[in-house]
């Protein structure tokens, strides 16, 4: 199922948006440490695709905004998507799994991709969920990134590491206990949107929703999307 999602569904904006809407973004980090490296790579790539979801076409364009996560004129639906991504990024699985892929059992290209994901997510939570837009990295996260700032074996890794350190290293690392990486998120002082759209029974409603999307794609002769 993960391979089908990776090769087909995650490339369709409507399907990927629905996936996030129903809490899928929080499920992906649970696969970041999977014993099978290809599944791990696919789950991180899919999470990266989530971060690239474009603004809805029906919203007025905003200058410089290329993804839905930075849209200022959000409606209730976009607020709910933001809430779902916030839960995924600040949840118990995300940071530990990111660091796991940077410290051991790496898959090819994994460090670069994880640094890209981290750079986006750290900047996003700092921008929207810190009043002063300053965020201290906990010592463990800082050290893991610092280890790659002079990496010479993978020339695409070091620039991302240095960019994160240049951006966040101006403040000393947080002294929060590294026994719980999620403690770093205690610095956030702006709550996510309070919108709570009713999605009913997650499993039952999800099946109906996916079926409707598939039927719509089939009627529109978008047969690959219908799969």
């Amino acid at each position: 199922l993960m391979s089908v999602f990776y090769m087909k569904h995650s490339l369709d904006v409507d399907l990927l948006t629905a996936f996030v809407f129903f809490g899928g973004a929080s499920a992906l980090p649970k696969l970041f440490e999977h014993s099978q490296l290809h599944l791990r790579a696919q789950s991180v790539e899919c999470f990266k695709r989530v971060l690239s979801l474009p603004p809805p076409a029906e919203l007025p364009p905003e200058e410089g905004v290329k993804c839905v996560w930075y849209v200022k004129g959000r409606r209730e639906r976009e607020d709910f998507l933001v809430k779902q991504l916030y839960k995924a990024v600040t949840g118990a699985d995300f940071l530990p799994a990111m660091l796991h892929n940077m410290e051991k059992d790496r898959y090819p290209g994994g460090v670069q991709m994880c640094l890209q994901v981290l750079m986006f997510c750290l900047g996003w939570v700092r921008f929207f969920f810190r009043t002063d837009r300053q965020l201290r990295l906990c010592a463990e996260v800082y050290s893991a990134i610092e280890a790659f700032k002079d990496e010479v074996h993978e020339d695409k890794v070091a620039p991302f590491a240095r960019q994160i350190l240049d951006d966040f290293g101006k403040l000393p690392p947080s002294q929060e206990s590294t026994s719980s990486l999620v403690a770093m998120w205690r610095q956030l002082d702006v709550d996510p949107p309070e919108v709570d759209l009713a999605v009913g029974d997650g499993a039952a409603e999800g099946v109906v929703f996916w079926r409707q999307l598939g039927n719509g794609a089939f009627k529109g002769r978008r047969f690959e999307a219908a799969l």
Side-chain angles (χ1 to χ4, degrees):
L1 289 179
M2 184 64 212
S3 295
V4 173
F5 178 73
Y6 168 73
M7 292 187 292
K8 294 285 186 182
H9 302 152
S10 67
L11 297 174
D12 184 287
V13 171
D14 291 336
L15 293 176
L16 189 57
T17 300
F19 175 78
V20 177
F21 188 87
F22 284 99
S26 291
L28 286 175
K30 299 180 186 299
L31 296 174
F32 290 176
E33 299 182 66
H34 199 282
S35 58
Q36 297 186 35
L37 296 185
H38 74 280
L39 290 180
R40 188 186 303 185
Q42 290 174 357
S43 62
V44 175
E45 173 64 30
C46 288
F47 198 91
K48 189 170 176 242
R49 291 173 186 173
V50 166
L51 301 181
S52 301
L53 278 172
E58 59 269 25
L59 290 181
E62 298 178 14
E63 185 177 357
V65 175
K66 298 181 180 180
C67 65
V68 66
W69 312 113
Y70 276 90
V71 169
K72 295 179 180 178
R74 298 193 303 255
R75 304 164 300 181
E76 190 175 51
R77 180 175 178 82
E78 287 73 53
D79 274 343
F80 190 72
L81 289 174
V82 164
K83 181 178 179 180
Q84 296 288 56
L85 182 62
Y86 178 91
K87 288 168 59 178
V89 171
T90 61
D93 298 305
F94 179 76
L95 274 180
M98 283 280 103
L99 297 193
H100 180 87
N101 280 297
M102 294 164 60
E103 294 173 347
K104 55 187 176 181
D105 298 334
R106 305 174 196 166
Y107 61 89
V111 173
Q112 178 188 346
M113 189 169 296
C114 287
L115 285 173
Q116 288 178 288
V117 170
L118 266 178
M119 184 164 60
F120 182 96
C121 293
L122 291 172
W124 181 68
V125 295
R126 180 181 62 179
F127 186 85
F128 284 107
F129 306 107
R130 272 291 297 182
T131 302
D132 60 6
R133 292 184 178 170
Q134 295 188 5
L135 182 69
R136 298 173 186 267
L137 302 182
C138 72
E140 190 172 349
V141 172
Y142 189 93
S143 297
I145 297 172
E146 189 177 37
F148 294 98
K149 70 176 182 178
D150 299 317
E151 180 65 58
V152 295
H153 300 294
E154 297 183 64
D155 59 356
K156 295 183 179 180
V157 169
F160 286 110
R162 287 197 292 267
Q163 186 172 346
I164 296 174
L165 294 177
D166 288 346
D167 200 10
F168 290 88
K170 298 172 185 176
L171 296 173
S174 167
Q175 297 304 308
E176 291 282 7
S177 169
T178 58
S179 62
S180 174
L181 286 171
V182 294
M184 194 175 85
W185 304 127
R186 293 174 187 163
Q187 302 172 69
L188 304 182
D189 57 2
V190 176
D191 293 329
E194 294 185 2
V195 60
D196 190 16
L197 298 183
V199 294
D201 177 356
E205 179 117 355
V207 169
V208 172
F209 189 85
W210 292 112
R211 183 183 298 126
Q212 290 173 342
L213 283 177
N215 290 342
F218 188 83
K219 290 179 180 178
R221 302 184 68 79
R222 295 185 296 114
F223 300 119
E224 288 192 3
L227 294 176

